[in-house]
Amino acid sequence: MATTETKVAGSGSTAGLSWARVCKECGQQHEGLDSHLYEYQDEVDDELVCHICLQPLLRPMDTPCGHTYCFHCLSNFLKEQDFCPVDRQRLQLHQCRPSSLLVRNLLDKLTVMCPHSAECQQQMQRCELQPHLHNRCPVFRRLREEAEKRKRPSWNELKGRKGDGETSGDAKHSATQSRNHARDQPEPGLINPAYEESEDDNTPLRSSLVAEASVVELFRDEPEEELGLRIVGGKDTPLGNIVIQEIVRDSLAARDGRLAPGDHILEVNDVSLASVPHARAITVLRQPALLRLTVMQEKGFKLRDQRSDHHLSTPATSTASQPSHSPHGNATSNHNPGTVLQVTLMKSQRTEPLGIKLIRKSDESGVFILDLLSGGLAAKDGKLRNNDKVLAINGHDLRHGTPESAAQIIQGSEVRVNFVVMRPAEAQEEGGSSRDGQHSRASRRAPEPQYFRRRSTYMKDPPGGFSSQEKTVSLKKEPRLSLGITIAGGRDCRSRLPVYITSVQPVGCLHRDGTIKRGDVLLSINGVDLTQLTYNEAVSVLKAQTAQSQVVLRVIQTLSEDSEDDAEASSKDELDFMDDPRDDALNWTPLWTRWLGLPSHMHWCRDIVLQKTNNESWGFSIVGGYEESHGQQPFFIKTIVPGTPAHFDGRLKCGDEIVAVNGATTVGMNNSSLIPMLKLQKNKVTLTVVSWPGSLV
């Protein structure tokens, strides 16, 4: 046993503490790049101590030569050296792997003292310190409230209370608080139909929403490497917060696995994003090297009654949602995405293989079951099937995970392995597992949900601060002279985007004219409508029409009142393109805020049908609607709650605009009109939405 030196950073007194300098994970004051500090109460086994810092391991990493170090210690060491600190064997960071779940669990169970021991003498396991700080520590709460009074970050209204960790025993009271608090906020009020309980809901199970603030550190090996996040929001948009819309498959963020769609990014390297415009947030998130993100993550509904434990202990039970969130749900059993099932496999011993082959797909993120090995544990159990999508294993969210991360969780589990999977509806009707997988593969080729142009009843103005203007360019040219533009989009792309310009080449007649800019949306050329064409159709029309000696081109340019930030971002884009005029200009996409300025006749909608039981919430919160101070704002999805119908359906995204509910337009509605409409839909609701892709960082 080793007597471990206690890491202390002025814990005896709270004098001089500030919210900006206090680490949101360990509660101590240290530099952003330094390791977290803990006050350990017991001796720690030598096997759990890092050989570099001689302290209990933090984010332990195993080397191929069998040694274990803290992630930060090892990564900093390998910046200067290229060998293992103990045996000096050749070593690079990418060769190392996170330690086993057993080692991490042992480290999580080490006893530590609250760093603010002058006022809070609580002892707890190390893994419980962060929730303690955000939910129970009086010093941490006071520091946070003082900071909130100074900058009033908009994310507080999500919870409708002073502290983000406090939970109310009554969801209706919590929602009322949220609405009252919103009146004092400078941004549009937030409606939380997901958080409200209907008056005839007598179930004692659902209590209140649980959210946690956590710190996630991401390190770019290459300064230009993308994080793999698509984000929406900003102070210049109705969302207010910066919210993760999507995690790009196989990206840095996806491999890390701690961030998820719906997370609200509060700070980046101690720079608050609570009141910055969208373009400024992009700049902050594109900083090179290490990024320290403070994020708020929804954890779902907290339960009053522990009857859900019965569900967890019953092997191979089938429910429509994760029992830890909604044990009595039946959210997705009858609509297109399929049925969500829980299947528990019991191993006779820890090392017994399950006999499951896992794969990833090129057209959809996540982990899928390719095959069940004959005679294996999963095949004998018979509940899992080929083509099931693995949503979670033992509580670990794998909706955007990889087969490697899933295999690691399975290998690190004890005898019980709990799967939550989504089964395509067509595969379930088949009545059994497919022997050759052909039927399952065919079922995945089901037609895309029908997209349609906005009907006249759905017409509305862009959000406040956004607008568009139409431009027409008429020019004479030589028949063989190119316009000098590249395009992307088309109504066959994933988000049904209109055709837009990705670059204006420095050679070509349009560049000399100077009217057409990158990001402009193409309306027509020589009177031929381009707004309903696929990408290939648009390319063909452009080639045919540019062969003429006279070309008339109509485009739409979207504008924002926050022109200074837009101009800065635009000029940087143009500079980057001039410095590096490669073919990858085709991969350029406009920021999410650019799409908000498009007139509604350019929008393509789709209907999303959600189903639930009477005792469930729909599982999303919204912001927007008519307010005297802001006028008419569209309704946007701001939060999607884990373990609810909206979450398991998977099609709604943060930042989606709700155009209509059950065919009734939301244009002209205010907050108090839309929430009763949503609550009246007991079992089924059809949301007509427009979904623009978030900005990529």
Side-chain angles (χ1 to χ4, degrees):
M1 302 289 287
T3 302
T4 304
E5 177 185 349
T6 303
K7 299 182 180 180
V8 181
S11 61
S13 171
T14 60
L17 288 178
S18 70
W19 177 253
R21 290 185 56 81
V22 168
C23 174
K24 307 309 183 290
E25 186 167 341
C26 70
Q28 302 272 20
Q29 294 190 81
H30 62 77
E31 295 299 324
L33 299 180
D34 293 342
S35 297
H36 297 304
L37 307 175
Y38 296 96
E39 297 184 41
Y40 297 95
Q41 299 303 295
D42 303 312
E43 291 185 336
V44 179
D45 193 289
D46 288 335
E47 300 300 324
L48 298 177
V49 173
C50 173
H51 294 297
I52 297 177
C53 68
L54 303 181
Q55 298 294 325
L57 291 156
L58 298 173
R59 294 182 62 191
M61 300 289 289
D62 293 338
T63 68
C65 51
H67 300 102
T68 304
Y69 306 96
C70 302
F71 171 79
H72 273 304
C73 295
L74 184 60
S75 59
N76 289 335
F77 181 86
L78 292 179
K79 289 176 185 177
E80 306 294 335
Q81 308 292 343
D82 62 352
F83 53 80
C84 173
V86 173
D87 59 19
R88 304 183 72 83
Q89 292 190 30
R90 291 287 181 183
L91 180 65
Q92 293 183 334
L93 187 61
H94 68 81
Q95 297 173 313
C96 304
R97 294 290 179 266
S99 298
S100 69
L101 185 62
L102 176 62
V103 172
R104 284 177 280 153
N105 286 343
L106 289 173
L107 289 164
D108 283 343
K109 291 180 180 179
L110 295 177
T111 303
V112 299
M113 169 76 77
C114 176
H116 309 301
S117 55
E119 298 182 40
C120 180
Q121 291 83 35
Q122 291 291 318
Q123 295 185 15
M124 67 216 76
Q125 293 182 352
R126 194 173 80 177
C127 63
E128 296 174 349
L129 177 60
Q130 185 179 355
H132 163 79
L133 292 171
H134 289 273
N135 296 327
R136 296 179 292 277
C137 178
V139 178
F140 202 79
R141 182 184 304 137
R142 185 175 68 247
L143 292 172
R144 180 177 59 220
E145 290 176 355
E146 290 172 354
E148 288 165 3
K149 289 178 182 177
R150 290 193 295 270
K151 63 184 181 182
R152 300 187 68 84
S154 59
W155 61 274
N156 279 333
E157 70 172 271
L158 267 171
K159 310 317 299 170
R161 51 184 182 265
K162 288 184 179 179
D164 68 305
E166 299 171 0
T167 56
S168 167
D170 186 344
K172 288 181 69 175
H173 177 64
S174 176
T176 304
Q177 277 188 307
S178 178
R179 290 196 301 273
N180 291 338
H181 183 65
R183 295 192 187 105
D184 300 328
Q185 296 293 327
E187 66 172 10
L190 178 70
I191 312 175
N192 287 325
Y195 304 172
E196 299 233 10
E197 296 191 32
S198 59
E199 295 182 2
D200 58 348
D201 183 359
N202 297 319
T203 174
L205 290 177
R206 198 179 70 197
S207 173
S208 58
L209 281 166
V210 178
E212 292 180 2
S214 58
V215 177
V216 175
E217 293 179 339
L218 298 175
F219 182 77
R220 287 184 169 101
D221 291 327
E222 299 292 335
E224 300 300 321
E225 182 182 10
E226 291 178 340
L227 296 178
L229 303 177
R230 289 196 177 275
I231 65 167
V232 296
K235 78 162 188 178
D236 50 340
T237 75
L239 288 180
N241 297 0
I242 298 296
V243 187
I244 298 176
Q245 182 197 60
E246 191 175 2
I247 307 288
V248 178
R249 187 164 61 88
D250 294 332
S251 64
L252 175 61
R255 292 191 298 270
D256 180 83
R258 288 175 291 171
L259 295 174
D263 290 354
H264 291 232
I265 305 178
L266 309 179
E267 294 178 352
V268 178
N269 291 350
D270 296 325
V271 176
S272 173
L273 299 187
S275 57
V276 302
H278 187 84
R280 171 60 182 161
I282 297 289
T283 303
V284 173
L285 283 163
R286 284 178 175 166
Q287 297 178 51
L290 181 69
L291 287 182
R292 188 168 182 267
L293 309 180
T294 303
V295 299
M296 190 195 70
Q297 300 177 312
E298 291 285 356
K299 299 300 181 183
F301 285 105
K302 180 181 178 182
L303 306 179
R304 291 196 191 106
D305 192 330
Q306 297 305 312
R307 283 180 291 171
S308 58
D309 292 343
H310 169 73
H311 293 268
L312 291 173
S313 62
T314 304
T317 55
S318 296
T319 67
S321 60
Q322 291 185 18
S324 59
H325 297 304
S326 187
H328 47 276
N330 191 13
T332 56
S333 57
N334 295 316
H335 64 288
N336 287 337
T339 304
V340 177
L341 307 170
Q342 180 190 324
V343 176
T344 301
L345 299 179
M346 303 295 293
K347 298 187 286 187
S348 58
Q349 55 182 350
R350 191 173 184 272
T351 58
E352 182 183 6
L354 300 184
I356 300 175
K357 286 186 178 180
L358 300 173
I359 61 165
R360 71 188 73 192
K361 294 187 175 183
S362 59
D363 59 342
E364 188 175 352
S365 63
V367 182
F368 295 84
I369 295 177
L370 172 66
D371 195 15
L372 305 177
L373 300 182
S374 179
L377 182 60
K380 290 178 181 177
D381 179 81
K383 304 268 187 321
L384 294 174
R385 297 182 188 171
N386 298 348
N387 208 40
D388 284 352
K389 180 174 182 178
V390 180
L391 303 177
I393 299 177
N394 288 351
H396 296 271
D397 189 343
L398 290 170
R399 288 173 297 146
H400 300 273
T402 63
E404 293 79 13
S405 59
Q408 188 175 16
I409 295 169
I410 293 172
Q411 291 167 5
S413 64
E414 300 298 329
V415 295
R416 179 190 298 272
V417 186
N418 187 55
F419 288 82
V420 178
V421 300
M422 176 174 283
R423 178 165 302 157
E426 296 86 353
Q428 188 183 27
E429 291 167 4
E430 187 183 348
S433 59
S434 173
R435 286 186 299 246
D436 57 6
Q438 291 180 355
H439 188 94
S440 295
R441 286 193 293 271
S443 69
R444 300 302 297 179
R445 300 194 202 101
E448 284 280 333
Q450 182 63 45
Y451 285 78
F452 51 89
R453 299 192 74 169
R454 242 183 178 160
R455 303 188 187 101
S456 59
T457 54
Y458 299 159
M459 294 300 179
K460 60 93 191 171
D461 294 327
F466 296 90
S467 61
S468 63
Q469 68 178 21
E470 187 174 318
K471 299 184 294 185
T472 301
V473 175
S474 179
L475 48 89
K476 292 183 178 181
K477 53 179 282 297
E478 295 295 329
R480 294 185 178 180
L481 182 62
S482 169
L483 290 178
I485 59 173
T486 58
I487 65 170
R491 296 309 186 179
D492 56 337
C493 71
R494 179 180 173 189
S495 299
R496 301 307 192 269
L497 299 175
V499 177
Y500 61 93
I501 296 173
T502 60
S503 70
V504 181
Q505 305 289 345
V507 292
C509 46
L510 285 178
H511 180 268
R512 292 195 299 270
D513 180 84
T515 306
I516 304 299
K517 303 292 185 182
R518 174 151 71 161
D520 289 351
V521 174
L522 291 169
L523 297 178
S524 68
I525 182 169
N526 291 345
V528 180
D529 184 14
L530 300 172
T531 61
Q532 301 188 60
L533 302 185
T534 66
Y535 173 78
N536 288 331
E537 290 170 344
V539 169
S540 299
V541 170
L542 286 171
K543 285 182 177 179
Q545 295 301 321
T546 51
Q548 309 294 324
S549 59
Q550 177 81 20
V551 173
V552 178
L553 197 65
R554 290 175 55 238
V555 301
I556 281 185
Q557 179 185 27
T558 54
L559 306 171
S560 168
E561 285 181 1
D562 213 338
S563 56
E564 185 175 328
D565 290 304
D566 281 351
E568 179 183 347
S570 177
S571 63
K572 182 180 184 302
D573 286 340
E574 295 297 335
L575 182 62
D576 289 345
F577 175 71
M578 293 298 291
D579 291 343
D580 190 16
R582 297 174 298 177
D583 290 340
D584 59 2
L586 289 170
N587 297 324
W588 179 86
T589 56
L591 297 184
W592 175 74
T593 47
R594 287 221 187 180
W595 300 117
L596 300 185
L598 280 181
S600 56
H601 67 83
M602 296 292 294
H603 295 184
W604 279 46
C605 311
R606 67 167 169 167
D607 287 339
I608 294 178
V609 180
L610 299 179
Q611 298 192 25
K612 70 177 183 70
T613 65
N614 287 338
N615 294 332
E616 285 188 302
S617 69
W618 292 116
F620 58 88
S621 67
I622 55 179
V623 64
Y626 178 79
E627 289 189 355
E628 290 186 7
S629 57
H630 294 85
Q632 179 63 46
Q633 295 277 23
F635 288 101
F636 287 92
I637 302 287
K638 187 165 188 176
T639 303
I640 295 177
V641 184
T644 60
H647 167 262
F648 284 123
D649 179 90
R651 290 176 292 174
L652 280 180
K653 299 185 183 70
C654 295
D656 284 0
E657 179 187 341
I658 300 180
V659 174
V661 176
N662 288 347
T665 179
T666 59
V667 177
M669 283 190 180
N670 56 24
N671 297 353
S672 58
S673 300
L674 184 56
I675 190 168
M677 178 184 292
L678 289 167
K679 289 182 67 176
L680 284 172
Q681 317 308 316
K682 293 296 184 182
N683 302 102
K684 180 179 177 181
V685 67
T686 300
L687 303 177
T688 304
V689 302
V690 177
S691 183
W692 302 115
S695 303
L696 183 63
V697 293

